[in-house]
Amino acid sequence: MNDLHARHRRVLPDWLALYYDRPLEITHGEGRHVWDAEGNRYLDFFGGILTTMTAHALPEVTKAVSEQAGRIIHSSTLYLNRPMVELAERIARLSGIPDARVFFTTSGTEANDTALLLATTHRRSNTILAMRNSYHGRSFSAVGITGNRGWSPTSLSPLQTLYVHGGVRTRGPYAALDDTDFIAACVEDLKDLLGHTRPPAALIAEPVQGVGGFTSPPDGLYAAFREVLDAHGILWIADEVQTGWGRTGDHFWGWQAHDRNGPPDIVTFAKGIGNGMSVGGVIARSEIMNCLDANSISTFGGTQVTMAAGLANLTHLLEHDLQGNARRVGGLLIERLRAATAQDPGVREVRGRGLMIGIELTRPGTDRADPDRAAAVLEAARAGGLLVGKGGGHSTSALRVAPPLSLTVAEAEEGAAILESALRSTR
Ligand SMILES: Cc1ncc(COP(=O)(O)O)c(C=O)c1O
């Protein structure tokens, strides 16, 4: 074991998982590439868990951060903060939420925690509807709405959570139905559930489940849910921590795949917007955002240096139409991966949209997850010069492919070839 790994093990928690038998120390990056401490170069198809959204060492972000750091890094929200107001204005406009207010946090967890505080206070209910196989963060409240056993270290919770069907299209009791019947069955189940419970505050859902292995319902499920929720006054919270900012290619927000009824009541975001600087947040109509009757601050939320990074990153994303790039290059990549794995009996499904692609591995001839092969593919891909992630509900047996949104066609082809040979070598 190398020295840094041994020191990590001695001083950091056991539950802080590390990838690879010989964990990697990444020392620098550029574009879609990173280098390790031994000087090896890798094509990065995971972006620090979908967080390096545009590119590593994007010059505009680096410049904005260093210039802002040279002026002032932080003043707290007790004072006016120009970059925070500017980024809030831009995000409010992009959200489509009428009379939107934005509150900045330092992480996705804190964003979801805030959304739960707002929804439960607004509705005077601590009952929350969440999806099976969901992940929304690591705090006490976020763990309480996590429908994924692998990320649920406790069942104690300040919330009463009811888990709804529908986040996973190809597993569960409705998997054999066609899309229309699948949606109808999930809606019936939701209606039935609501007949047995105290009125919930909100439904929270990831439009494409991230940690769950890039699983999703058929388009339109959340619009169909929305009609039921609206009839009961229940709020709809879209957790866009992984799916926001054009990652899914077809849409700027993941919820737009379900569009019919317009934007959700509350949207949460984090990860990609800061390109690695810690920016998270909540967007809600003023009536919901302003329902708290006591002060509430996040000391580090909206600090100038992170807001400067967010502004520069968002400007680059929009000016270079990286959503369009995610649609085009992601479309080629998924087709390439589907073709490469079509004859592999251990590949159950290649799914996703844009640059959010999941490859679910099962033991050949069964429907049982194959986490050992997923781990072996990760190792083999690394040896070939490619970093990918993994995830999944029942066990971590889905490979997760989520490069920065500026991925070129040549890089997509190179990465697909490495992944194809990693899959072949582990059959
Ligand atoms: C959908 C989703 N929500 C919330 C979170 C929590 O975000 P953070 O790790 O920044 O607290 C994550 C993190 O992976 C996530 O994928």
Side-chain angles (χ1 to χ4, degrees):
M1 196 185 293
N2 74 29
D3 184 45
L4 187 60
H5 185 197
R7 286 166 57 197
H8 176 110
R9 295 278 299 271
R10 269 198 299 278
V11 74
L12 295 168
D14 287 352
W15 40 259
L16 199 58
L18 281 168
Y19 274 173
Y20 306 114
D21 291 341
R22 266 191 325 109
L24 205 55
E25 181 190 1
I26 293 176
T27 53
H28 64 286
E30 191 184 324
R32 274 72 51 197
H33 287 91
V34 291
W35 282 258
D36 70 14
E38 292 161 11
N40 301 307
R41 188 176 90 133
Y42 304 91
L43 194 49
D44 184 4
F45 272 20
F46 207 36
I49 324 181
L50 294 85
T51 298
T52 304
M53 172 170 77
T54 49
H56 288 283
L58 187 77
E60 294 95 310
V61 171
T62 308
K63 182 165 178 278
V65 167
S66 64
E67 286 181 359
Q68 183 61 54
R71 288 193 295 271
I72 188 158
I73 293 177
H74 166 85
S75 68
S76 89
T77 45
L78 296 175
Y79 308 99
L80 288 173
N81 174 338
R82 192 170 296 273
M84 180 168 77
V85 172
E86 278 178 22
L87 188 56
E89 286 169 346
R90 295 188 68 179
I91 291 175
R93 260 198 312 279
L94 286 165
S95 76
I97 293 178
D99 192 18
R101 302 295 171 99
V102 182
F103 176 69
F104 288 106
T105 66
T106 57
S107 68
T109 297
E110 196 193 347
N112 285 329
D113 188 84
T114 308
L116 293 169
L117 177 67
L118 293 173
T120 53
T121 307
H122 191 258
R123 291 269 300 153
R124 311 220 58 76
S125 161
N126 76 333
T127 301
I128 295 290
L129 303 169
M131 306 304 293
R132 295 180 186 185
N133 198 46
S134 58
Y135 180 81
H136 297 288
R138 59 156 303 280
S139 67
F140 193 50
S141 64
V143 162
I145 53 163
T146 290
N148 180 328
R149 174 64 187 90
W151 296 90
S152 300
T154 177
S155 60
L156 302 176
S157 174
L159 301 164
Q160 185 194 39
T161 304
L162 304 166
Y163 291 99
V164 177
H165 281 292
V168 183
R169 175 66 185 90
T170 65
R171 285 192 183 273
Y174 307 142
L177 303 177
D178 67 23
D179 282 357
T180 309
D181 289 348
F182 180 96
I183 291 177
C186 294
V187 167
E188 280 314 305
D189 180 69
L190 174 64
K191 284 183 183 161
D192 183 60
L193 182 66
L194 293 177
H196 298 289
T197 63
R198 299 185 61 77
L203 167 82
I204 183 163
E206 304 154 84
V208 178
Q209 295 180 325
V211 170
F214 294 172
T215 42
S216 58
D219 289 355
L221 176 78
Y222 294 116
F225 275 1
R226 180 88 183 262
E227 285 169 16
V228 180
L229 301 178
D230 281 353
H232 291 77
I234 302 167
L235 302 175
W236 146 227
I237 306 169
D239 177 340
E240 297 278 354
V241 166
Q242 295 211 9
T243 45
W245 320 109
R247 163 75 51 195
T248 60
D250 294 338
H251 308 102
F252 191 76
W253 301 109
W255 63 258
Q256 289 169 317
H258 300 271
D259 204 3
R260 292 205 302 267
N261 300 321
D265 298 294
I266 303 179
V267 167
T268 60
F269 61 86
K271 290 202 190 281
I273 181 67
N275 215 35
M277 296 296 277
S278 49
V279 183
V282 187
I283 322 164
R285 321 193 279 283
S286 61
E287 166 216 356
I288 296 172
M289 184 66 87
N290 293 335
C291 77
L292 304 182
D293 68 359
N295 294 320
S296 191
I297 65 160
S298 170
T299 298
F300 289 122
T303 206
Q304 281 90 338
V305 77
T306 61
M307 296 293 101
L311 279 166
N313 198 35
L314 183 59
T315 301
H316 180 91
L317 176 98
L318 297 173
E319 285 181 353
H320 294 80
D321 185 24
L322 294 191
Q323 176 188 335
N325 193 62
R327 184 175 57 245
R328 286 186 297 276
V329 182
L332 294 174
L333 185 56
I334 199 167
E335 285 319 315
R336 172 79 202 266
L337 292 171
R338 282 199 172 121
T341 55
Q343 305 305 323
D344 186 331
V347 173
R348 180 176 187 272
E349 190 182 24
V350 179
R351 59 185 173 232
R353 64 200 322 161
L355 284 170
M356 201 170 177
I357 301 172
I359 304 175
E360 187 179 337
L361 304 177
T362 44
R363 291 181 213 282
T366 76
D367 213 20
R368 289 208 324 274
D370 197 348
D372 294 342
R373 183 165 180 220
V377 174
L378 241 68
E379 295 284 354
R382 173 202 178 163
L386 175 73
L387 305 184
V388 296
K390 56 185 175 148
H394 303 288
S395 63
T396 40
S397 65
L399 305 171
R400 288 198 288 162
V401 171
L405 303 186
S406 55
L407 188 76
T408 66
V409 171
E411 289 162 344
E413 278 171 3
E414 184 191 341
I418 300 171
L419 198 50
E420 188 179 346
S421 101
L423 281 159
R424 207 174 318 111
S425 72
T426 55
R427 269 174 81 166

